[in-house]
Amino acid sequence: MAKPKKTPRPKAQTPKGFRDYFGAEVTQRAEMLQAIAGVYHRYGFDALESSGVETVEALGKFLPDVDRPNEGVFAWQEDAEGDKPGDWLALRYDLTAPLARVYAQHQNDLPKPYRRYAMGPVWRNEKPGPGRFRQFYQCDADTVGAPSVAADAEICAMLADCLEEVGIPRGDYVIRVNNRKVLNGVLEVAGLAGDDKERERGIVLRAIDKLDRLGPEGVRALLGEGRKDESGDFAEGAGLDEAASAAIMRFVLANDIIKQKLQDGPAEYSQTVPGGIGFLIKDPQSRDANIAKIWNEEILAQLLSIVQPSKIGVEGLQELSTVSKLLAAQGYGPDRIVIDPSVVRGLGYYTGPVYEAELTFDIQDEKGRTRNFGSVAGGGRYDDLVKRFTGQEVPATGVSIGVDRLLAALHAKGRMQIMEQGPVVVTVMDRDRMADYQTMVAELRQAGIRAEVYLGNPKNFGNQLKYADKRGSPVAVIEGGDEKAKGVVQVKDLILGAQIAESATLEEWKDRPSQFEVPRSDLVAKVREILAQHGIGK
């Protein structure tokens, strides 16, 4: 008789594209979310927690096709094998599509405009890569039902406040603002309006988006006949004539044109800042308000000279001008928020102003190369999303902050420690006296001090201290039979002890004891004193 096959053990590994988060990572994210939520709340936004699962139909463009039903999203069909298969359901792809569904479903009960913020994980069924996971956190704020670009200006100001609230100072970030209508105007001037020009528009938009990587000549080639890359692969161009290409290139290079103008212009433009206006994007440490304040005016004039014949383009510039003036009235000038036509952000989705927050400092990548940290948040106006449910256009604008990228930025700048401070550990010298140790830890907790009793095998005291070290504990409390009889406890400063062990001589070790015997009644006071010496709060 054949032996029954053993059930194979499952592999202890996370699915591809996912990861686990421990201790400090979870705590730091929660603290950051709380800080951002505080800013959102201060601006008058209300919290919303929607379902993590939506019908695929509600996700709109992510509706699965017949051949690849999970394309883009993690989707499944209810009772797929039954006689009457149910709805297709999916883990939410972002927090915006659920907002559109919530607003359409509950609009009669919601204030108008409806201002909400939402935070939580989203899931994308996409190819993972370095630092790119299939589950990650988003932190959104949106205003639905406000047609005025005052709502867009408010979102930009709030985004600046959020960055500063979590520890990104002025000078280390810039919020760049553009408008979909301006780009539509440029395309119209270049002869690319109309349904029959969809292919050419797509090539042009992708080319503009690759400016940083390809440079002006690479973009120019894609506007014309096409471009051959270093590997020999040929990318088909849009086939534009010289006049159309020139108009688009003037738009693409608008920043550089104005930088050069201000560098070469009157003295009040150049002042004494090295490199002129170029500091606005690339060298935030050299910002000068006297130059910054004229940037938006100059860039708007440059764009007007390009889109003047286009009604939609001029309308977009008027909106950008209004946003700039509203921000300036609140004290948010181009030293923090700047009009930048190079922002090409999901422009098939947005209908008006778009914005992107970029961290301007450099970091070292895993290969030791200097890199600009880049974008950590973005958003814009999307007036067509709710229309899918209601049939009526509902104006909306919002922003999404990448919390995990912000945390990575703070770590890269050394503004956040990866190791979380562990709890005070009350060691167990006599397992029959567990009630005494629990009393100690209760006193510490009631005093607001993070603490725990060692609950492993207490037989080897050395293992208890190893445990405390692995936990990152600042203090260990020791009370054996002798200490109990004398009415004292030993309080060991583990941080100082580690420092002494690393570098101190025998004489220094004697002069700087790291273990203190104190009356049992002074336990909480002594622990507080040690924590304060190391700058550790409650």
Side-chain angles (χ1 to χ4, degrees):
M1 181 178 175
K3 291 183 178 179
K5 291 184 178 180
K6 292 183 178 179
T7 303
R9 294 177 180 173
K11 291 183 179 179
Q13 62 184 28
T14 54
K16 185 178 180 181
F18 294 84
R19 60 159 295 194
D20 301 312
Y21 296 86
F22 296 90
E25 294 175 302
V26 177
T27 302
Q28 289 168 0
R29 182 202 286 140
E31 290 173 352
M32 178 171 284
L33 290 172
Q34 185 177 17
I36 295 172
V39 177
Y40 288 167
H41 194 263
R42 193 161 70 233
Y43 271 72
F45 287 74
D46 289 332
L48 170 68
E49 184 173 315
S50 60
S51 169
V53 175
E54 294 283 341
T55 64
V56 174
E57 183 182 21
L59 298 179
K61 64 178 180 177
F62 303 110
L63 183 68
D65 58 37
V66 176
D67 297 323
R68 296 187 296 175
N70 285 332
E71 180 68 11
V73 298
F74 288 98
W76 65 96
Q77 189 175 26
E78 286 190 298
D79 197 19
E81 305 299 325
D83 295 335
K84 295 182 178 180
D87 292 334
W88 274 94
L89 303 177
L91 294 176
R92 63 187 178 202
Y93 184 92
D94 62 12
L95 298 176
T96 310
L99 169 63
R101 189 266 305 161
V102 167
Y103 183 83
Q105 182 177 351
H106 301 284
Q107 57 182 310
N108 293 334
D109 301 319
L110 294 174
K112 295 178 178 62
Y114 176 50
R115 298 152 66 83
R116 84 88 175 89
Y117 69 88
M119 303 174 176
V122 297
W123 296 267
R124 298 193 178 178
N125 190 4
E126 299 172 345
K127 184 178 180 181
R132 184 183 180 89
F133 297 98
R134 288 170 163 171
Q135 176 182 318
F136 53 93
Y137 265 72
Q138 285 190 338
C139 188
D140 289 16
D142 296 78
T143 299
V144 182
S148 169
V149 292
D152 301 278
E154 180 183 63
I155 291 286
C156 290
M158 185 169 67
L159 178 54
D161 286 356
C162 284
L163 294 176
E164 294 178 22
E165 184 75 17
V166 301
I168 306 294
R170 297 183 196 184
D172 273 357
Y173 73 88
V174 63
I175 297 168
R176 304 183 296 144
V177 186
N178 195 9
N179 195 308
R180 170 64 198 258
K181 294 175 182 177
V182 176
L183 183 54
N184 284 347
V186 174
L187 295 174
E188 185 179 326
V189 168
L192 295 177
D195 294 340
D196 60 328
K197 298 292 184 179
E198 185 174 354
R199 183 190 70 85
E200 290 86 350
R201 283 199 302 272
I203 294 174
V204 170
L205 290 176
R206 288 190 292 272
I208 294 174
D209 200 29
K210 295 175 182 176
L211 175 64
D212 287 345
R213 184 164 61 86
L214 301 181
E217 291 309 313
V219 173
R220 195 185 304 273
L222 288 173
L223 298 181
E225 296 305 316
R227 175 182 178 274
K228 183 180 289 188
D229 63 21
E230 296 175 356
S231 67
D233 290 339
F234 183 79
E236 184 182 7
L240 304 186
D241 61 29
E242 185 59 34
S245 292
I248 291 173
M249 289 308 298
R250 285 179 63 209
F251 172 79
V252 169
L253 299 176
N255 283 336
D256 293 332
I257 292 169
I258 298 305
K259 290 174 192 175
Q260 193 62 51
K261 176 181 178 179
L262 297 182
Q263 288 169 353
D264 297 342
E268 66 267 21
Y269 283 175
S270 55
Q271 297 287 326
T272 58
V273 179
I277 202 72
F279 68 87
L280 273 171
I281 304 298
K282 298 299 183 186
D283 188 10
Q285 300 303 323
S286 301
R287 285 197 172 99
D288 182 277
N290 290 328
I291 296 178
K293 67 183 181 182
I294 62 173
W295 172 264
N296 285 350
E297 297 174 10
E298 291 290 337
I299 201 73
L300 285 170
Q302 169 68 15
L303 295 175
L304 181 59
S305 71
I306 301 171
V307 304
Q308 184 74 63
S310 168
K311 182 179 178 180
I312 189 70
V314 172
E315 182 181 320
L317 287 178
Q318 290 171 341
E319 291 180 357
L320 282 178
S321 179
T322 300
V323 168
S324 177
K325 289 174 182 176
L326 290 172
L327 287 168
Q330 301 172 67
Y332 298 86
D335 57 326
R336 289 192 274 175
I337 305 174
V338 60
I339 294 175
D340 184 351
S342 70
V343 178
V344 181
R345 185 185 166 77
L347 289 177
Y349 172 77
Y350 294 111
T351 59
V354 290
Y355 20 87
E356 187 168 85
E358 177 184 336
L359 302 188
T360 52
F361 54 78
D362 291 333
I363 60 168
Q364 301 295 313
D365 67 12
E366 62 279 0
K367 295 184 179 179
R369 297 170 298 189
T370 299
R371 301 287 191 194
N372 183 264
F373 195 89
S375 175
V376 294
R381 177 163 288 275
Y382 53 97
D383 289 346
D384 294 335
L385 198 61
V386 178
K387 185 178 181 181
R388 295 183 51 252
F389 295 95
T390 64
Q392 298 176 334
E393 186 175 283
V394 178
T397 187
V399 68
S400 181
I401 297 176
V403 174
D404 295 319
R405 279 190 61 76
L406 265 181
L407 285 172
L410 292 171
H411 284 302
K413 290 292 285 184
R415 295 177 187 150
M416 188 174 282
Q417 300 299 316
I418 296 176
M419 182 69 178
E420 184 181 31
Q421 197 66 58
V424 171
V425 171
V426 175
T427 60
V428 176
M429 304 299 290
D430 183 349
R431 69 178 72 210
D432 293 331
R433 292 183 41 242
M434 183 59 74
D436 291 340
Y437 303 128
Q438 292 286 8
T439 300
M440 289 184 201
V441 84
E443 291 174 9
L444 292 168
R445 290 168 179 165
Q446 288 162 10
I449 297 170
R450 189 179 184 213
E452 66 173 73
V453 175
Y454 179 74
L455 296 177
N457 187 343
K459 187 175 182 180
N460 187 325
F461 181 70
N463 286 344
Q464 297 192 51
L465 294 183
K466 287 180 181 177
Y467 171 81
D469 180 61
K470 197 165 187 177
R471 294 281 278 130
S473 301
V475 173
V477 178
I478 306 163
E479 186 193 63
D482 293 341
E483 285 83 10
K484 175 68 174 175
K486 292 165 58 179
V488 299
V489 290
Q490 302 287 339
V491 180
K492 188 173 181 62
D493 184 338
L494 298 176
I495 296 176
L496 179 59
Q499 294 170 349
I500 292 173
E502 246 180 51
S503 57
T505 63
L506 179 61
E507 289 72 21
E508 289 172 328
W509 179 78
K510 291 178 179 177
D511 291 337
R512 296 175 64 200
S514 61
Q515 185 164 314
F516 309 90
E517 183 176 280
V518 299
R520 168 66 181 81
S521 59
D522 292 345
L523 168 64
V524 171
K526 187 61 182 179
V527 170
R528 271 189 174 149
E529 177 187 324
I530 293 172
L531 295 179
Q533 288 173 352
H534 295 297
I536 302 171
K538 289 182 178 181

Coordinates of all heavy atoms in Angstrom, one line a residue, residues 26 71 78 80 136 176 196-197 208 265 274 299 330 352 381 418 433 459 490 510 529 536:
V26 N 6.4 51.0 11.2 CA 4.9 51.2 11.4 C 4.6 52.4 12.2 O 3.7 53.2 11.9 CB 4.3 49.9 12.0 CG1 2.8 50.1 12.3 CG2 4.5 48.7 11.1
E71 N -5.8 42.8 -15.2 CA -4.9 43.8 -15.7 C -5.0 45.1 -14.8 O -6.1 45.8 -14.8 CB -5.1 44.2 -17.1 CG -4.2 45.2 -17.7 CD -2.7 44.7 -17.8 OE1 -2.5 43.5 -17.6 OE2 -1.8 45.6 -18.0
E78 N -17.3 37.3 -8.2 CA -18.1 36.5 -7.2 C -18.8 35.4 -7.8 O -19.4 35.5 -8.9 CB -19.1 37.5 -6.5 CG -18.5 38.5 -5.5 CD -19.6 39.2 -4.8 OE1 -20.4 39.9 -5.4 OE2 -19.6 39.0 -3.5
A80 N -17.8 32.8 -9.4 CA -17.4 32.7 -10.8 C -17.8 31.4 -11.5 O -18.1 31.3 -12.7 CB -15.9 32.9 -11.0
F136 N 0.9 49.9 -1.1 CA 1.5 51.0 -0.5 C 0.5 52.0 0.0 O -0.7 51.9 -0.3 CB 2.4 51.8 -1.5 CG 1.8 52.1 -2.8 CD1 1.2 53.4 -3.0 CD2 1.7 51.3 -3.9 CE1 0.6 53.8 -4.2 CE2 1.1 51.6 -5.1 CZ 0.5 52.9 -5.2
R176 N 5.4 72.5 -7.9 CA 5.4 73.0 -9.3 C 3.9 72.9 -9.8 O 3.3 71.8 -9.7 CB 6.4 72.2 -10.2 CG 7.8 72.3 -9.7 CD 8.8 71.6 -10.6 NE 8.5 70.2 -10.6 CZ 8.7 69.4 -11.7 NH1 9.1 70.0 -12.9 NH2 8.5 68.1 -11.7
D196 N -8.8 63.1 -35.0 CA -8.0 62.5 -36.0 C -6.5 62.7 -35.7 O -5.6 62.1 -36.3 CB -8.2 63.0 -37.4 CG -8.0 64.5 -37.5 OD1 -8.2 65.2 -36.5 OD2 -7.6 65.0 -38.6
K197 N -6.2 63.5 -34.6 CA -4.8 63.7 -34.2 C -4.4 63.0 -32.9 O -3.4 63.3 -32.3 CB -4.5 65.2 -34.1 CG -4.7 66.0 -35.4 CD -3.7 65.6 -36.4 CE -3.8 66.5 -37.7 NZ -2.8 66.2 -38.7
I208 N 7.3 65.0 -24.3 CA 7.5 66.1 -23.4 C 7.8 65.5 -22.0 O 8.6 66.1 -21.3 CB 6.2 67.0 -23.3 CG1 6.0 67.7 -24.6 CG2 6.3 68.0 -22.1 CD1 4.6 68.5 -24.7
G265 N 19.1 89.9 -18.1 CA 18.3 91.1 -18.1 C 18.8 92.2 -17.1 O 20.0 92.1 -16.7
P274 N 24.3 83.7 -7.6 CA 25.1 83.0 -8.6 C 24.1 82.1 -9.4 O 23.3 81.4 -8.9 CB 26.0 82.2 -7.7 CG 26.0 82.8 -6.4 CD 24.7 83.4 -6.2
I299 N 7.0 83.8 -16.5 CA 6.7 82.5 -17.2 C 5.3 82.6 -17.8 O 5.0 82.0 -18.8 CB 6.8 81.3 -16.2 CG1 7.0 80.0 -17.0 CG2 5.6 81.2 -15.2 CD1 8.3 79.8 -17.6
Q330 N -1.5 84.7 0.5 CA -1.4 83.9 1.7 C 0.0 83.8 2.2 O 0.3 83.1 3.2 CB -2.0 82.6 1.5 CG -3.5 82.6 1.1 CD -4.0 81.2 0.8 OE1 -4.0 80.3 1.6 NE2 -4.3 80.9 -0.5
G352 N -7.6 70.5 -15.5 CA -7.3 71.9 -15.2 C -5.9 72.0 -14.6 O -4.9 71.3 -15.1
R381 N -6.8 69.0 -10.9 CA -8.3 69.1 -11.0 C -8.8 68.0 -12.0 O -8.2 67.9 -13.1 CB -8.6 70.5 -11.6 CG -10.1 70.7 -11.8 CD -10.5 72.2 -11.9 NE -10.4 72.8 -10.6 CZ -11.4 72.9 -9.7 NH1 -12.5 72.3 -10.0 NH2 -11.3 73.5 -8.6
I418 N 16.1 55.0 12.0 CA 15.5 53.7 11.6 C 15.1 52.9 12.8 O 14.1 52.3 12.9 CB 16.4 52.9 10.6 CG1 16.6 53.7 9.3 CG2 15.8 51.6 10.3 CD1 17.5 53.1 8.4
R433 N 8.2 35.7 42.0 CA 7.9 37.0 42.4 C 7.4 37.9 41.2 O 7.6 39.1 41.1 CB 9.1 37.7 43.0 CG 9.5 37.1 44.4 CD 10.6 37.8 45.1 NE 10.6 39.2 44.9 CZ 11.5 40.0 44.3 NH1 12.5 39.4 43.7 NH2 11.3 41.3 44.2
K459 N 15.8 32.0 33.4 CA 16.9 31.2 34.0 C 18.3 31.8 33.7 O 19.1 31.9 34.6 CB 16.9 29.8 33.4 CG 17.9 28.8 34.1 CD 17.7 27.4 33.6 CE 18.7 26.5 34.4 NZ 18.6 25.1 33.9
Q490 N 18.0 48.0 41.2 CA 19.1 48.4 40.4 C 18.5 48.9 39.1 O 17.7 48.2 38.5 CB 20.1 47.2 40.1 CG 20.6 46.5 41.3 CD 21.7 47.4 42.0 OE1 22.3 48.3 41.3 NE2 22.0 47.1 43.3
K510 N 35.0 53.3 35.7 CA 34.8 53.5 37.1 C 34.2 54.8 37.5 O 33.4 55.0 38.4 CB 36.1 53.3 37.9 CG 36.6 51.9 37.8 CD 38.0 51.8 38.6 CE 38.5 50.3 38.5 NZ 39.9 50.2 39.2
E529 N 14.8 60.2 35.0 CA 16.0 61.0 34.9 C 16.9 60.5 33.8 O 17.5 61.3 33.0 CB 16.7 60.9 36.3 CG 18.0 61.7 36.3 CD 18.8 61.4 37.7 OE1 18.1 61.3 38.7 OE2 20.0 61.3 37.6
I536 N 15.0 61.3 25.6 CA 13.9 60.4 25.3 C 12.6 60.9 26.1 O 12.7 61.0 27.3 CB 14.2 58.9 25.7 CG1 15.5 58.4 25.0 CG2 13.0 58.0 25.4 CD1 16.0 57.1 25.5

